[in-house]
Amino acid sequence: MSLQEEASGSTLPATAPLQPFLSSVPEDLHQEREYLRAEVFPHLDSLAGPRGPRPFLPPRRRARPALPLERNLYTAGRNGYPWVLQGRNQTCSFTELEVTQALLTHGPGTSFFYFRDYSFGKDEEEEEEEGQRELLLSVWSSQSEYERRRARELKLRITDGCLPVRFFRSLSELGQLVRADWVRIIDQLYPLHVQARSLDPQGLLEHWCHESAVEHLCHTFVPWAQAERALEALDSFALSAVCDPDMPETRLNSERQDRESHASILLLCGARGCGKSALAAWWLQQFRKKNPGIPIVPQFSGFCSSGADVRSLLRSTTFLLRQAHYGAQAQWSERVEERVELGPLPLVVQAFSAAAALGPCVLLLDGLDQLTDTLGLSAQQVKELQWLPETLPSQCRLIVTTTSTDLSYTSLVCRPDVRALSCPGQSEPVVRRTILLSHRGLPSMSVPESLLQSIVGKRPALLPAPLAILGSELRTCGVLREEEEEEELLERYLETETLPELWALVIRRWLRDYSWVAETRTGKRRTKLPYPPEPATPQFRGWVWDTLCLLHVSRSGLGKEDLLHCLRVLGYRRAQRILPQHWALFRTAAGPWIRESPGGQLTLTHQSLGQAVELLLLKNGGRSRRAYRRVLVEGLQRGDRPSWSQAKVLEEVAWGLEQGKAWEELHALLTDPDTVELLSRSPVHFQLKTDVVRYWTRLGRAGYDALTSLQGLLAPGQPGPMKDRTVTGVAGSGRKDAASHRTFVTEVQRDGGAFSVLQEPEVKGRIMAFSAEVLFGLGKVLEAEQTLLQMEALLQQAVGPEGGAAVALLHVQHGLAELSTHSHQPHRAETHCRSALESAQLLITAHAEETEHAQQLRGQLLCKLCQLLIMIGCPDEVPGILKEIGAVNHASAHPCAEATVRFLQGLSELHQGSEAAAERFFRVALATRGRWYGPEHPLVAEVEEHLADVLVGHCRETEVSLGEAAQLYRHVLQVKGQEAGPRPPTSPLARPIGCSLAVTLVKLGKLLLGDSSRAERGEAVALLERALDLRVRLLSPDHQLTREVAEVLRSEVSGSGRPSTRLGSRSAFSAERTQTGKSSRSRSPGNKDDQSRALTDTPYPIRSQNRSWNQSRASQRPGTACQTSVFGPGSSISDLDPAPRVHSPNRVLHKSAWFHLPGRGQDMTNWLWSVYNETKKQTEDLIPILSSSFVNPDTIFANNEMTLEDIEVYGFDYDYTLAFYSRHLHTLIFSIARDILIQQHRYPDGLREYDYIPDFVIRGLHYDVQKALLMKIDAFHYIQLGTVYRGLHPVSDKEVIALYDGCHVPLEIMSDFYGKSSQGHAMKQFMDIFSLPEMTLLCCVNDYFMRHNIDYEPVHLYKDVKAAIRDVHVKGILYRAVEADIEKYICYGEQTHAVLKKLAENGKKMFLITNSPFDFVNRGMNYIVGKDWRELFDVVIVQADKPGFFNDRRKPFRRVTDRGTLLWDRIHCLEKGQIYKQGNLYEFLRLTGWRGSKVLYFGDHIYSDLADLTLKHGWRTGAIIPELRKEIKIMNTEEYVHTMTWLQSLTTLVEHMQVHRDPAAEAVLQEWIKEREDIRSRTKNIFNSQFGSLFRTYHNPTYFSRRLSRFADVYMASLSCLLRYDLRHTFFPRRNPLQHEAPYWPEQTSAGALKIPFRPQRAQVTSE
C-alpha cells in the first residue's frame, strides 16, 4: 500500500488529500481489500476529517491496461521510464513494476507491505477462518512454480531492503496494522494541535487550499538571477514590518530604507503567465523558513472559491492573524453582527485592520485581478479596492500580485502607500531550459537537443506559462505518436504567438488522443483510438472538451465522481462510458493543469486555461455556458452522495442558477424545506451563508419577498417535500426524479422519516433560527426578531427531558436579547435576558453534558443584563450580578470578556461615586477592546464616551483632561456617524441611532461652550444646531430635550443668559444625562415608548445624585427661529412638493425671506448655516412624499401628441426591437473584433489580455477620432467634464479645457446628421447598442498603446477598429454564433409575441424592415414568436441597408426563397408570406400605399431607423430604448430621490443666497457649491461611474436625448409596453414650463408617475 502523491514532489505532501494506492496480485486478497474498504478506511476518514477538508480519500485501484502489456512497457520506456526495459524488468508483472515505481519515486516512508503469515496453526484460528485458509491455499496451488518463485523473490527484495513489512494472520489483525501505520501518517501530515485547534471546517478548507497552492507553485519554480533581486526586495519589504532592536544589522538597514519610502503595500505585477504567482509562493516558502516568528498569511484567490470573495478573504485573514497572537482564543462575538457574521462590510474591514495591528505580520494576496463581487460591494467596487483600508497598520505589510491590465492595478498604483515591483523576465536561455525540463516531470525522459534549442531560443522569449505547457506536452504528446508526428506537433505549438492559441492546439491534441463524441454510437468500445488527420475547421467536441467546460463553468471545481456523473448525463454511458484507463490517460496528460484540491475537487490550475476555454466556447458554436450549467446541476443530483458534500453541491447549484438568472428556480431551491434544513444544520459554511443572503437580495430585486417566503416555509398546512416533484434548480429541465435521486438528502430522509419530522420542534426551530439570521443579514431586524419570538413560543411548549430543544431555546432567547439590544429596546432585552438565564440554569441542572457551554452563555447573558440595568436606570441589582459573573469566571473566557467585565465594573463604580476607579476600569476596557476590534468599532466608542464623561465630571478638572475628553467625543461622533450613515431614514434603527448621536453632540457642544476660543465656541454652536435638527426630526419640536437644546443655543447666539458656570463642569454637564435617568424608571417590556425613554438621550444615566438644570421652557411658537426667518410664518420647503393636494394651499414658500439680513450682533456664518440646516430638514421631510410618486418603467413617454386610434400600419426593426440580446453578445463581438485586429491588422498580441468590460460605456457618446477621446456631450454641444476618457482612464478637466479652448464643441467638428465622422467632421457619435463593444475596444486598444508608450495614429486606429467590427457583422461571424446558441444570446420574447398577436387581432397591418439577413431573422423569430411568425406580417424586408433604404430610389426589391436563393423576376406587389431583400422606401410606398401619419414605425437606432421617416416621410416613430427601464428603476430608488431633491434645494439655496458678498458669506457659499459639485458627481455615478445617465448630463439633456426628442414621437423600454394601453389611447406630452413661464398647472410629474390605471386595471375598478 502506497501513499499517492498529488500536489508536490516532496516525500510527504503536506497539503494534498491522503489517497492510498492498493497494489496486489489481481487474483489474490479480494476479501482483505473489501475489509479495508468497508471497515478500516472509513475509520481513518473520520479520524482525518477534523484535521482538514477530506484529507483521506477512497483508495485508488489499478486501472485495467488500455493497451497490451508489451506496448505499455515500450511506451513507458520511451517516455521517461527506461528502467522498465532493463534486465529482468522486461518480464516483470504489473504488481512488481508498481512496487518498484513506488520505492523509486516515494521512498520507504510512504509504502507499507502487508504479508499474510501462513505459519499459523489451525488451533489459533476461528472456525470461519478455515474456509478462508483453504481458499488461500487453493489460490497458491493454482499458481505455477514460476509465479510462486517470482512472488518469493519479490518478498525477499522487500524484506532485504529493510522496508516496512507487517505480517498478519487474520482480517482484524490486518485492520489493526493498517490503522496504526496510517494514523501515524495522519498525525505527521495533519497535526491536530497545529491546524485544527481553533479552525472550523471552512477555515480548514481555506487553509489547506492556500497551503496547497504554495506547494504546487513551488514545485517547479526555477530561481534565476533577476528573481534573486526581486526576492531580496520582497524580503526587505516584509522585514520592514518588524521593529525588534535585537535584529541583525542588515535587517535593520533594510527596514530603515523601506520605512523611508512609507510603503505598506508591495505590488508585484506583470503579464499573465510571467510567473509572478510562483515567484511569490517561492518567496513565501523561503521567508517562512528564515523568519518563523513573523506571522505570514497567504491568500491565493485562484485556488479557493471563497478566496475570490472579499468578505470571506478578510474574515479568514482576520482569524489567522488573531490566532497567531491569541491562540485558541481567536474567536469571540459580543454583538449579533459578529455572531451571525453577516454584519456590514465596514465592520469586517475594521476587524481586519485591528487584527493586522496586533503585531508584525505579512499578508500575501495573489490574484487580485480574480476577486469577484461580494455581499455589499459590486465587482467594480471590489476592483476599485473600496474594501481595502485607506491606511494599513504600521507593522503590517501587504504583498499583492495582479496583471497590469486589470482595473485593480490602476486603483492600487494611485495609492501613496504602494510600491510597485515588476516581475522580472527570464532572459537567460539556461533558465528557460530549466523551466521547460522541470515541467517535463520525468527526469529519465530524453528530449532531442535540437527541439530544446528551438523552444529555448524562440523569439520573442517564451514566458514561464508557455514553457510549462510545452514541458508537460513533451511528457505525454509522444506516447501515442511516432517521433516525426511528435516533432511536427511541437513545431505547430511553437508557431503560436499567444497563450490562447497555444491552449487551443493543446486541447485539440487532447481531443484527438483521448476523446470521443457521445453521439457517435458504436457497438464496441474502443480501446485503441485512431488518429485521423486534423480537419480544416476543427470542432471542439467530445468528453474531454465537455470535462474542461464543466470544470470551467463550475464555481469551485468538481469531484471526480460528480464529473463522471455529469458526463453520463451528457450521454457517455454504456458503450460510450469513460473507463478508468481512459480517465487515467487524460489525467496524465492534463495532470499539471487540472489539480485536485485538498477538498477532493478538480479545478483548472492556471487562469490562462480557463480563459482559453471561455474563448473557445464563444467561437466553437457548440453547447453554451447555460447548457453546461444545466448539465452541471443535473449531474450533481446523485442519490449516493455522502453527507459531507451536500453543502458543496448546494453552493454549486445555487450559484449556477444565479449566474443563469433563473430566479424562479433559485427561489424554489432556497425555499425548499430540505434545502433550508440543510443550511440550518451546524456548522454552516460561512461562504454559503453569505451567498444565501446575496441570493435573497437579488431575488428581492426580482420581486420575491424573503420574509413571506421564509415564514410560509413551515406554516401549518404547508405540504411536505413530495416524493415525486420537479427537481428544483434545473432551469427549464422539467425532469422529475424520485426521492432517492434528490440533490439533497437530509437527515430526515436518511433516517427514513416523513415530512412530519421537519415539523418536530427541534428541527423546525433550527430552520426558523437560520431564517432569522438571513432576515437579519438582509437588514430586516424587526422581522428577524418576530421569527425568533415564534420559535421561542414553539420551543417552550416542546422542552422536555431531551437536551436538544432546551439548548435551542437557550440560543433563541439569547438571540432575542441580542436583537433587542441591537434595535435599542433595553426593556425588552432585559426580559429576554432573564428568560435566557432561567433556561441556562435549567439546562445546567438537567443536562450535565451541556454545563460548559451553558455556563459560557450564562456569563455573556449576565454581562448583558448588567449593562441593560444600568442603561434603563435600575442599578441596584448590578453588584449582585457582578458577583455572579465573577463566580462563573467569565473574565477568563476571553480578553474581550475580561474587557466587558471591567467596563461593567467601571459603570458600577461610577454609579457609586468612585470616578477615579471608574476611570481605571474604563481605560483597561478601552485598551483591550481597541486591540481586538480596532478604534472605529461601536463597542470601542461606547467605552470612549463613558471615559470622556468621567474626565469631564472628574473633581480634578484640568485642561488636559477636558482636551482628552473633547478628542474622545469627536471620535465617538465619527464612529456613530459612520454607523448612522448607510441607514435609510425609514430604517427602524435610524431613530435610536440618531438620538444617540444627538446625545454626544450635546455633550461635546456643552463642553466646547465653556472654552474662551471663538473657534471652539463656533464649533459648539454648530454641534448643538446639528443636535437640535436631529431631535426636532426624531423626537418633535415640543419634546423636552429639544427645547433644552434650543434654549442653550438661544442663550449662546443672542449673547444673553450665558451660563455663569463653566459648562464643562460636573453640575452643568451632567444635567443632560440626568433627565433620561429620571424618565426611564418604568421597566415594563410592553411599554411602547421604550426607545424614546431609553434612547432619546445618553444610554447610561451615570449618577443618581440631585443635579440642577434650568427648567425654564421657551414659549410655544409655530416653528424655530430659523424656519420663520427663511420660510415665513406657516410656510416650509414642503410647499415645493409637486402634489399640492397633500398640503394646504395657504402655505406658500417665502423665498424673499432668504434676503432678510441677520439681526444686529448675529454672526453671518451661523445664520447661513442655520438656513442651510433648516432647508435640509424640510427637504428630508419632503422625501417620503416624493418617493411615493414613482415612475412606472413600462410607461410609454410622448414627445409629440399621438393617438393610436389613427395608426393603421405598424412597422418594426428586428435587432433590439423585436429581438433583444443578452450581454454575452457584446462579449462575443468584442473578442472576435479584438482577434481580427491581431490576426489581420497585425496589432500586438498583448491586446488579448483585455476582456470586454460590461457597463464601462453607454450609448450616445461622442468619439474624437483625431484626439482619441471618448466623451459625453449635452444638447448644447458642451462637454460634460469628468466624462472624457482616453483609453480606460479619465482625462483631467484642465486638459480637456486646454484641448478644446473650453468645453464647447463647434458645429463644424461635430458628427454629421447620421452621427458619423465624415467630410471633415472629427466626431463620431455611437447611437447603436451594437456600438458598445466597439467603444470598449477603442478604449482598450488606446489604453494598451499608452501603457506601452507606442506611438500611433488615432485615425488609423479608429478605422481599423471600425473595419474589425464591420467584419464581425458583414462576414456573418456574429450571425453564425447567435444561430449556434440562440438561447445564450437572444432573450426569450414571450411579450413580443403577445404584442404582435394583439395588433393582428385588432386588424392592424404589420411589416418588418431590417438590415439583418433572412436566415438570422428566421432563426430568431422562430425562437421568439414561433414558426408561424411570417403569418403575422404583411411585408418582410431583409438586408434593407438602412438608412440608405429611406433615401435611395434606385435599388429594386428582390424576392428571396426560404433557402436564401435570390430570384430575378420583377416585383409588382409585396405579397404576404414572401421575403424581400434590399429595395427602397419610395418603391415600398408605391406598392403598399402606406403613407403619412397612419404608419407607426419602431426602431432602436435614432438615426438609421427614425430620423428620415419623421423628417421626410411624415411617419410616426417610436424609439425602443432598453436602457430606459434600468434608469427608471434607479430614479425610483430612495437614494436617487433623496439625492436629487437635496440637489435641487441646495441649488435654489445657492441661487438666492449669492447676494451676500461679505467674506464670511462667500466662504459658506463656496462650501455649498463644493457640496453641490460632489452631489452632482455622485448622481452621475448612480447610473454609470464613467459617463452617468444616457439622457442627462449634470442638468442639461444629453445630445442623445435631444435627438431622441426630435426624431421620436414616443419612446419606451420595449414593445411590451404596448400591452398596457388600449389601441385607442392618446399619448400627451408633458407640458414643461419655459424659463419665463409660471407653473400654472398643478402637476409636473411624468406620465409614468400618475396614478391612472391602465386598461386591465380600469376594467377591474369598473367591475367593482
Side-chain angles (χ1 to χ4, degrees), residues 79 110 359 474 776 851 984 1190 1235:
N79 293 276
T110 59
L474 281 175
F776 178 82
T851 299
F1190 64 89
D1235 293 346

Side-chain angles (χ1 to χ4, degrees), residues 1355-1382:
V1355 176
H1356 298 333
L1357 168 61
Y1358 166 74
K1359 291 183 178 179
D1360 290 343
V1361 172
K1362 179 181 177 182
I1365 294 290
R1366 183 184 63 246
D1367 288 347
V1368 175
H1369 293 268
V1370 174
K1371 294 185 177 181
I1373 304 174
L1374 172 66
Y1375 303 136
R1376 289 193 296 271
V1378 174
E1379 291 175 23
D1381 195 350
I1382 203 164

Side-chain angles (χ1 to χ4, degrees), residues 1477-1550:
K1477 178 182 177 181
Q1478 295 179 351
N1480 62 84
L1481 183 64
Y1482 297 95
E1483 187 71 9
F1484 178 86
L1485 297 177
R1486 184 184 67 82
L1487 295 175
T1488 61
W1490 296 339
R1491 301 176 182 273
S1493 58
K1494 69 177 181 180
V1495 183
L1496 173 58
Y1497 185 79
F1498 293 98
D1500 68 297
H1501 200 297
I1502 307 300
Y1503 295 142
S1504 298
D1505 290 331
L1506 309 180
D1508 290 312
L1509 293 176
T1510 188
L1511 293 178
K1512 298 181 181 180
H1513 303 284
W1515 283 9
R1516 292 306 186 108
T1517 53
I1520 305 298
I1521 313 295
E1523 301 93 336
L1524 186 64
R1525 191 181 305 277
K1526 175 184 176 182
E1527 295 216 0
I1528 290 177
K1529 289 182 179 179
I1530 292 175
M1531 291 188 292
N1532 287 337
T1533 60
E1534 186 173 349
E1535 177 188 8
Y1536 180 83
V1537 174
H1538 185 279
T1539 304
M1540 283 304 302
T1541 307
W1542 174 235
L1543 176 62
Q1544 292 295 98
S1545 301
L1546 184 60
T1547 302
T1548 306
L1549 190 63
V1550 172

Side-chain angles (χ1 to χ4, degrees), residues 730-1027:
V730 184
S733 66
R735 191 174 66 87
K736 295 186 177 182
D737 289 342
S740 61
H741 292 94
R742 295 178 60 87
T743 305
F744 310 113
V745 182
T746 65
E747 61 185 27
V748 176
Q749 293 168 328
R750 285 196 306 271
D751 296 338
F755 178 72
S756 58
V757 183
L758 286 178
Q759 298 293 335
E760 291 184 358
E762 184 178 349
V763 179
K764 187 173 182 179
R766 192 173 66 234
I767 294 176
M768 294 175 70
F770 178 79
S771 301
E773 290 186 359
V774 173
L775 291 172
F776 178 82
L778 293 171
K780 300 179 181 295
V781 180
L782 299 181
E783 293 83 351
E785 184 179 9
Q786 186 63 31
T787 303
L788 288 181
L789 286 172
Q790 297 175 6
M791 179 180 171
E792 181 188 27
L794 174 71
L795 292 174
Q796 284 176 340
Q797 301 175 0
V799 172
E802 294 80 9
V807 174
L809 178 62
L810 174 59
H811 282 285
V812 168
Q813 292 172 337
H814 184 208
L816 282 169
E818 288 182 324
L819 279 179
S820 299
T821 305
H822 177 78
S823 56
H824 298 267
Q825 299 175 356
H827 293 292
R828 299 178 64 176
E830 179 206 357
T831 302
H832 293 311
C833 268
R834 294 186 185 277
S835 300
L837 285 170
E838 293 176 2
S839 299
Q841 188 60 45
L842 291 175
L843 188 64
I844 294 172
T845 304
H847 305 282
E849 68 277 4
E850 300 288 345
T851 299
E852 182 179 356
H853 177 64
Q855 285 286 18
Q856 183 178 359
L857 282 180
R858 185 166 178 267
Q860 294 182 9
L861 289 166
L862 287 170
C863 290
K864 190 174 293 294
L865 178 61
C866 182
Q867 194 169 357
L868 291 169
L869 290 173
I870 297 174
M871 179 186 296
I872 61 180
C874 299
D876 298 336
E877 298 181 52
V878 169
I881 295 177
L882 286 176
K883 291 182 180 179
E884 289 189 60
I885 294 174
V888 299
N889 199 19
H890 182 64
S892 63
H894 193 272
C896 288
E898 181 182 4
T900 300
V901 174
R902 299 294 173 261
F903 174 61
L904 296 175
Q905 290 173 339
L907 292 177
S908 178
E909 294 290 342
L910 189 60
H911 179 264
Q912 297 173 10
S914 179
E915 295 180 330
E919 179 183 351
R920 290 195 301 271
F921 283 125
F922 286 154
R923 291 191 182 278
V924 172
L926 180 61
T928 304
R929 281 188 173 180
R931 181 175 172 82
W932 179 268
Y933 292 109
E936 307 300 323
H937 199 275
L939 289 178
V940 176
E942 177 185 48
V943 182
E944 288 181 331
E945 185 167 11
H946 287 85
L947 178 59
D949 293 345
V950 172
L951 294 176
V952 170
H954 205 283
C955 58
R956 55 175 182 83
E957 195 173 280
T958 62
E959 294 294 336
V960 175
S961 62
L962 293 179
E964 183 183 359
Q967 292 300 323
L968 289 172
Y969 281 138
R970 289 189 178 97
H971 186 256
V972 172
L973 286 176
Q974 178 183 348
V975 175
K976 289 186 176 181
Q978 293 174 353
E979 187 177 10
R983 302 185 187 276
T986 57
S987 170
L989 299 181
R991 183 171 181 264
I993 293 177
C995 290
S996 177
L997 179 61
V999 170
T1000 312
L1001 287 168
V1002 172
K1003 290 179 182 179
L1004 180 57
K1006 289 181 178 180
L1007 176 62
L1008 296 179
L1009 279 181
D1011 199 288
S1012 59
S1013 169
R1014 180 179 177 85
E1016 298 289 344
R1017 298 180 69 83
E1019 181 185 356
V1021 171
L1023 292 170
L1024 292 173
E1025 288 178 346
R1026 185 181 172 194

Side-chain angles (χ1 to χ4, degrees), residues 261 368 468 508 526 588 652 660 676 803 963 1114 1223 1416 1475 1528 1542:
S261 64
L368 189 63
R508 193 176 303 159
R526 297 180 303 179
T588 302
E652 193 74 50
V676 183
R1223 287 194 173 186
F1416 179 69
I1475 306 298
I1528 290 177
W1542 174 235

